[in-house]
Each structure stands twice: as structure tokens, then as C-alpha cells.
Amino acid sequence: MNGAVLRIELRRSVAPWAGAVVLTTALAFLCLLDAAWSRGPTAWTAQWTSLALWTRSLLFYLWPLAVGLGALQGLRDHRSKMSELLTSTPRPAWQRAATTAGTTALTLASAFALLVLVGGVQVVANSGYAHLGWLPISLVGALSLVAGAVLGMGAGRALPSVLTPPALAMGAFVFTVLMNASLGRTETATASGVPRTEPNRISLLSPAVEEVRDTLVTLSASVHVGQTLWLLGMATTGFALLVAASPRARLLALTPVLAGAAIALLVLPSDPRRIYVLDEAAAEPVCEGLVCVTRTQQARLPDLAGPGKEALRLLHGALGGRAPVSIRENTAVLPDGSTPRWSRETVLLDFGDDTALTTAKGEELTRALIAKAMVPGCTPTGWSSFGQDQYAQAVAVGWVLGDRGDLGPLPGTGSAAARREVDAEARPVWRKLRALPRAEQLARINAMRAAALSCKGDAFDVLSGGGASR
């Protein structure tokens, strides 16, 4: 396809409009709406993998749009009443189909590439960790738009009706909903009995992915391969429908998409733990002394190292041999609803879950690290809560600081109302604890920390003297 043919196709097809709709609506979602993709270390402009996954998550609605717009393009010959004329020309049908499909594919792929480029420019400015592990995620995303549009074009030509484009778009949207909801989820339970749902291999037939909750999580290679096979089968069926001239040929054209789905389901991982996996290169530790972060967060290490060393010194002075000896970023990948796992020797940090770790500086960051070391929190993975753990953290931080500080505000507690609530609940316990003999204070603190690290029992209740860790 030379430049002149491409320009003609761009003028007489819906391809430019399809690209414009994909690009503008995606940018509107990402730039104008205040949602999970715009906050914290997992923002779409914070890391390359987060950028790729967030743009893929938008395919939840972009892919149905591509299918519907492709179907509208497939109706062009029928609307112009040129179908019989074109079939009488000596030019092969596949060449005409390739010209139309190629123009639409090029436009949609370019729109998706521009979307990634807009985010990539900001990632370069915000992140010091560059890699190519994100590229397969984005390439499969671009392929899904192309395959969806070509399938829609073929279906539009095979079923030439004004109802075909909206029906296909709605059908594709229902498909993504089902794949990311009931049909694509498996209900399980954690060891503690908390119900949760996990994606299964059927969900991977949807081009969209889940929301990004961890900068260290990526899609496995088998997911890329399986989805590519499925999408290639889809595109082949769409192209075959474009050139098919008989009902029998149209029926045979369905073979590639069915074969692609069958082969993809054999390749796609059946174990949810092999779908979203740890990016080992991104999780590689970068250390300054006893304080370590992953490569994705290495830009935070200069600000974290000093307060981290000070926090370890204060903890050793308060707890003696029971104190943690190092600080590192938590790289464990746990399913939603799982009970967190903590270590007595190492303070494990999660920049995505604790806003104080990303906003606090200097002495305030030291307080936040001490709070994390004493009461790391037992809220199930992926959930959020406020209450007993924060009260226990406030008392524990004040106790570790000793004569240096009073029961000051706990970093990361958010609003003034939340800070007042923490102070009102924690101050009476703080005063009772300080009134006890030193040995009894230490015994109660150790019991509290044991409950907090094991997630068995209520740390604040133990600290108050009303219970004990189990």
C-alpha cells in the first residue's frame, strides 16, 4: 500500500475517526479523572510496567469501541451499493480487504502508541528505572485493538445491517464484562476464611487487565503468548470474512478464531499465581547499608536511608536484641484477601499501601518507619482499614522515642478528624503504659509486637492489657 492509496483510504474511511476516538477518550480518562491510575507509586506515569498495565485496563471499553467502529467500516461497500461492482473487477478481493484493514489497523495502532508515548514521556521524568519488560504488554494491547477492528469489519461485511455496529460493540462490551466478572473469576477463600475472587484463564481472553495494585507485578510470558495466539486467530477470522463471497466461506472463516481460542486456553496458565507474577528484575534490591528498596523505587533511597538508619538505632535502643536489624521493600506477591506476612528481623515496606512512606521526610519518616516496625498492620492484602492498628502504632512510636517525644501525630493518618480519633483512643493507653515499671512496659510491648507480626490477636488490645497474643 503506497502513500497515495493510504491517503485516499484515510479520507474515505472511518479509520482516522477510530484512532481519534481511542486516543482522546483514553487520555480523557487518564488525565481528567482522579482515580487509582493517577495516585501513588502505581500511577500510570510513575513506572513503565504500571503505564503498560493501566493503558491495557482501558481496553475494557476501548476494545468494544474498536469492534463497533470496525463494523461501521465494514458496511462501507454496502452503504455505497458498490458490492456487485467491486466483485466484477479483476483486482483480487484480498487486496482490497488488505488495503482497508491495513489502514484501520495502522490508525488504531498509532493511536495506542501515542497514548503510551504520552505516558512514557512522564515516566522518564518520574522514574529512574528503565527496562523493556513492559513492551509485550503494550504490543498485545495494540494487537487487540487491531484484531477487534478487523473482526468487526469482517462481521459488518458479512452482516450488512445498520444494527450490526452497535450490536457488535455492545456484544464486545458484554464479553469484556463477563470475562472480568463472573465467567472470568474463580471464588476461593484465604487461610483465614476471607472470601476472594481470582482471575482464571478464561478471563485472559479479554484484552483488558486488572487494576494495578503493585509496581512489582507483571504478566507472565505464557499470558503474552496465549493472548497473541487468540488475537491472531480473531484477526484472521475478520480478514477471512472480509474476502468471503459465499455462506460456506463465511462459515469456514470462523475456524481461525475458534482454533485460536482453543490453543490459547491450552497455553494460558491455569494457576492464578502464574498469571500476575513478580517482576524479578524490578524487584532486585538496591541498598544503602541496611536499608534496601527495589530497583523500581531506587529514586526514594536517598531520602529513606538516613531516617531508616535512625529508626533502626532507636528500635535497637528500645527493644534490644528483639529489634529488627534491616529495612527493605516488601516483594511478596499475595492474592487479594490474604493475611500479610511480616518478619521480626526485617522491617518490610510497601510504598503503595502506606502513604506516609511516600510523603513523609526526615524525622516524620523516622516515626513512620518505627510505626511500621512495631505494628506493620494485619489488614488483608488489597483491603483498607483504619482503627486498632493505628492506635497501637501511635502508642508504640511514643514508647520507642521515650523522652525524646510525646504522643505526637502519627504520619499518614490523613485528615484532622482521623488524627483526633487516634489521639483520643491512644493517649489513655499511652499514659497507663508509661506509668508501669520499665520491665512491665517492655513485656507488654513485646507481647503487642508478637501479636502484630503474627496477625493473631489484636495488638492494641494486648497493649491495653485486655488480651494476649495467641
Side-chain angles (χ1 to χ4, degrees):
M1 180 169 57
N2 57 39
V5 174
L6 176 62
R7 287 192 295 272
I8 293 172
E9 281 294 325
L10 288 175
R11 286 198 301 268
R12 63 196 294 262
S13 71
V14 300
W17 295 104
V21 167
V22 166
L23 181 60
T24 55
T25 57
L27 287 176
F29 265 85
L30 293 172
C31 298
L32 301 181
L33 296 182
D34 183 19
W37 55 67
S38 61
R39 298 190 294 267
T42 59
W44 78 291
T45 57
Q47 301 288 342
W48 285 105
T49 302
S50 299
L51 165 65
L53 290 173
W54 276 123
T55 49
R56 277 285 298 274
S57 71
L58 295 182
L59 294 178
F60 186 83
Y61 78 91
L62 290 179
W63 185 73
L65 276 178
V67 173
L69 291 169
L72 184 62
Q73 174 67 20
L75 292 178
R76 183 179 63 179
D77 293 346
H78 176 74
R79 293 197 311 269
S80 59
K81 300 180 180 180
M82 294 177 57
S83 300
E84 293 184 3
L85 176 63
L86 291 174
T87 55
S88 65
T89 61
R91 188 183 183 190
W94 71 266
Q95 290 187 6
R96 296 195 305 271
T99 300
T100 304
T103 303
T104 303
L106 179 62
T107 305
L108 287 172
S110 299
F112 194 77
L114 284 174
L115 174 65
V116 174
L117 179 62
V118 170
V121 171
Q122 300 176 75
V123 171
V124 170
N126 295 331
S127 174
Y129 175 53
H131 62 104
L132 295 178
W134 60 274
L135 194 55
I137 303 173
S138 293
L139 289 177
V140 173
L143 177 60
S144 67
L145 288 176
V146 171
V150 174
L151 180 66
M153 291 169 63
R157 189 178 186 280
L159 301 170
S161 167
V162 293
L163 298 178
T164 299
L168 280 179
M170 182 57 66
F173 181 72
V174 171
F175 175 79
T176 58
V177 170
L178 293 177
M179 290 299 101
N180 291 275
S182 56
L183 292 181
R185 310 289 296 187
T186 301
E187 186 171 343
T188 58
T190 63
S192 58
V194 178
R196 71 171 187 266
T197 60
E198 295 177 324
N200 55 40
R201 71 172 73 185
I202 297 178
S203 70
L204 299 175
L205 296 179
S206 168
V209 299
E210 293 190 319
E211 292 186 357
V212 185
R213 295 188 176 91
D214 196 319
T215 58
L216 302 178
V217 171
T218 187
L219 290 171
S220 64
S222 58
V223 172
H224 301 320
V225 174
Q227 290 183 330
T228 299
L229 292 172
W230 155 242
L231 293 170
L232 289 176
M234 184 188 301
T236 303
T237 288
F239 190 78
L241 287 173
L242 272 177
V243 300
S246 66
R248 184 171 181 271
R250 294 188 182 101
L251 188 61
L252 289 175
L254 300 177
T255 302
V257 69
L258 297 176
I263 297 173
L265 289 175
L266 294 176
V267 174
L268 293 169
S270 58
D271 186 350
R273 292 171 297 182
R274 293 176 51 228
I275 297 177
Y276 292 92
V277 297
L278 177 68
D279 187 339
E280 295 183 0
E284 183 180 337
V286 179
C287 301
E288 185 172 325
L290 298 174
V291 181
C292 300
V293 296
T294 61
R295 291 185 65 189
T296 59
Q297 302 294 339
Q298 60 188 1
R300 301 184 187 276
L301 186 57
D303 292 334
L304 182 67
K309 294 174 183 177
E310 177 65 9
L312 290 175
R313 186 188 68 81
L314 292 170
L315 287 166
H316 180 74
L319 298 175
R322 290 177 174 265
V325 296
S326 63
I327 297 175
R328 66 175 175 85
E329 188 176 348
N330 192 2
T331 59
V333 178
L334 299 176
D336 280 359
S338 300
T339 302
R341 303 170 186 170
W342 306 116
S343 169
R344 184 180 67 83
E345 294 83 9
T346 303
V347 183
L348 299 176
L349 308 180
D350 191 331
F351 293 102
D353 288 344
D354 196 335
T355 57
L357 299 178
T358 58
T359 58
K361 301 290 184 181
E363 191 170 324
E364 187 180 12
L365 181 55
T366 300
R367 294 176 64 91
L369 292 171
I370 293 173
K372 195 70 176 176
M374 298 296 285
V375 186
C378 292
T379 302
T381 304
W383 297 18
S384 61
S385 67
F386 181 84
Q388 299 287 92
D389 284 341
Q390 285 71 31
Y391 308 155
Q393 283 180 340
V395 176
V397 170
W399 183 84
V400 170
L401 293 177
D403 293 335
R404 286 188 48 191
D406 193 7
L407 194 64
L410 188 66
T413 49
S415 65
R419 290 194 293 270
R420 287 194 297 269
E421 179 183 339
V422 171
D423 185 77
E425 295 289 339
R427 188 166 293 278
V429 177
W430 156 257
R431 289 172 176 166
K432 291 179 181 178
L433 181 66
R434 289 293 299 268
L436 297 173
R438 177 66 184 181
E440 191 171 342
Q441 290 182 31
L442 183 59
R444 191 168 292 187
I445 287 290
N446 286 333
M448 174 215 70
R449 190 160 177 257
L453 293 175
S454 65
C455 290
K456 295 179 180 179
D458 188 309
F460 187 63
D461 191 32
V462 173
L463 192 61
S464 304
S469 64
R470 297 190 297 272

